Amino acid sequence: MARIVFWGVACAQPGEPVIGAFATWRNIPIDFARTDTPNTTAQATNRLAMTPNTEGGMFANNVEVELHAEKTGPTTSTYGPQWMEQGNSGGTMRAIAQGTDPAKPDGTNHTYMLLRQASGDQWDVLYDFNWVGSTTDQLKVPRGNSNRIDIGLEVMGPQHVTVPEIANRVQFMAENKTWYRADTANTAQVATLGVCGQDMPWVNPPRKYQPPYCFNTKLTDGSKFTQWNVSKPGPAPSPAPPSAATLAAPRPSVVPTAKTVNGVDQETLARCMANSPDSCLDSVPGLTDCIRTSRICNTAAAKPRTGLSAPARTAPAIEADIRKRAAESFGVREHDLHISPTGKEGIARLSSAPASAHSDQATWTVESSAETHGLERRGLTFRGFRATYSAATGQLLDACWGRMCEK
């Protein structure tokens, strides 16, 4: 089960060309078994994914932005937002350090957005309404192609993972640059572990799907897809969910210093982010125009934060641990890996994203020229990969595989 991926997602194909996808959910706590789990990748990712050209099938080239949690040791894990591109010649992954407390599971609202660039066929990635990167290897989108948007939970090692309910709200931008919700008729539900409490098909005597090998899912809808709720119970009875007070969206940790930046009323945006971020595109003056023309629309979330991962490790990530994790994640034998300590220069070489809080951290860089699946889910293999991990927390900060490492 080391690389088997399970999904609890809602897939929307709006039936018309899509040039943007927007989603919001809160930073909920994700828990891992506090025991050693050798040879098993245990992680949970809540993601917004766009497949711009669906002619390649269900696993065509795509781009996604997500909240990712991964088990890094017997009692340690990392947590935070990232984005990933799966292209024709390989792929890339980047951790996101910008934002208001991005690595804290404190119930704060965050927004995730993918926007097709005005010229060409590449996409911009935005987090909390600020630009954090752009794709370089997406396929040309044929006129009239309806695209596909996926939102929801992806899990590896489900026997070790507990994910409380995540409420995902999603919209798409049509070619007229207006935001809409997809029709329920154009939305499919996928729960590859099965839905908790439902009968397993073709099983005699009858059995029901039970934790930890099941999802809880609910699509809130009328004629429109409004919200996708998904969770994955753990191997033992889940602890009581956090109280409303615990998960109440805190006040922004950074008070806007300027009232209007790039045409956006920052005070109005801060209030909207704290209370109802899915309404900000309509209710915050200047925001819709800003995200199409500027890289910074939310000053409170623009400054990189320190302390990327929470909870932090009790000891630094050592070479042997990083080597083993890289071998498991990228499907390459340990003796085919080269690992070396790196720092600011290594991050700069890998990343095309803005300068971030991890740019001056001590890091480990792992490289290989062997065949690898990268961080792919498409069943493809590529030649070689490069990945950089935080030496303090063990978090994967940047990665590339295949010819994408040459860009």
Side-chain angles (χ1 to χ4, degrees), residues 30 69 77-80 103-105 307-313 393 395:
I30 296 174
S77 60
T78 59
Y79 181 101
K104 291 184 178 180
L308 260 178
S309 295
R313 295 175 63 97
T393 67
Q395 182 176 17

Side-chain angles (χ1 to χ4, degrees), residues 69-155:
E70 182 175 352
K71 183 176 172 62
T72 58
T75 61
T76 56
S77 60
T78 59
Y79 181 101
Q82 63 183 37
W83 71 275
M84 184 164 67
E85 175 179 9
Q86 298 181 90
N88 208 39
S89 59
T92 59
M93 168 270 164
R94 306 281 184 253
I96 298 171
Q98 297 93 318
T100 303
D101 297 330
K104 291 184 178 180
D106 58 2
T108 306
N109 288 316
H110 291 279
T111 67
Y112 304 77
M113 186 177 291
L114 302 168
L115 290 176
R116 186 178 172 188
Q117 294 175 355
S119 59
D121 297 293
Q122 300 310 307
W123 295 70
D124 290 328
V125 183
L126 292 87
Y127 177 73
D128 285 349
F129 298 116
N130 293 331
W131 179 88
V132 294
S134 299
T135 68
T136 61
D137 201 30
Q138 292 303 292
L139 299 176
K140 182 176 179 61
V141 180
R143 293 292 304 167
N145 189 293
S146 60
N147 318 81
R148 194 183 79 243
I149 301 171
D150 300 342
I151 189 166
L153 190 60
E154 174 186 290
V155 174

Side-chain angles (χ1 to χ4, degrees), residues 100-288:
T100 303
D101 297 330
K104 291 184 178 180
D106 58 2
T108 306
N109 288 316
H110 291 279
T111 67
Y112 304 77
M113 186 177 291
L114 302 168
L115 290 176
R116 186 178 172 188
Q117 294 175 355
S119 59
D121 297 293
Q122 300 310 307
W123 295 70
D124 290 328
V125 183
L126 292 87
Y127 177 73
D128 285 349
F129 298 116
N130 293 331
W131 179 88
V132 294
S134 299
T135 68
T136 61
D137 201 30
Q138 292 303 292
L139 299 176
K140 182 176 179 61
V141 180
R143 293 292 304 167
N145 189 293
S146 60
N147 318 81
R148 194 183 79 243
I149 301 171
D150 300 342
I151 189 166
L153 190 60
E154 174 186 290
V155 174
M156 295 186 193
Q159 68 272 39
H160 305 300
V161 183
T162 302
V163 184
E165 185 173 88
I166 304 175
N168 296 283
R169 299 178 72 84
V170 64
Q171 300 174 53
F172 73 92
M173 180 185 282
E175 286 191 318
N176 63 3
K177 298 184 180 180
T178 301
W179 292 96
Y180 300 96
R181 299 192 186 279
D183 291 341
T184 301
N186 294 330
T187 303
Q189 304 175 46
V190 179
T192 58
L193 272 177
V195 176
C196 300
Q198 289 189 359
D199 291 333
M200 295 181 179
W202 309 299
V203 174
N204 191 17
R207 292 174 54 197
K208 296 183 182 297
Y209 291 107
Q210 297 290 337
Y213 299 103
C214 61
F215 292 108
N216 286 312
T217 64
K218 180 182 179 181
L219 181 67
T220 302
D221 63 346
S223 60
K224 299 294 184 181
F225 168 20
T226 302
Q227 183 168 298
W228 174 249
N229 287 32
V230 61
S231 64
K232 199 213 73 65
S238 300
S243 67
T246 302
L247 285 183
R251 296 179 62 185
S253 60
V254 178
V255 177
T257 57
K259 185 172 182 180
T260 302
V261 174
N262 291 329
V264 179
D265 186 314
Q266 296 296 305
E267 292 182 1
T268 302
L269 177 58
R271 288 193 299 270
C272 186
M273 285 290 294
N275 296 300
S276 56
D278 57 317
S279 70
C280 295
L281 293 167
D282 294 324
S283 64
V284 178
L287 182 58
T288 298

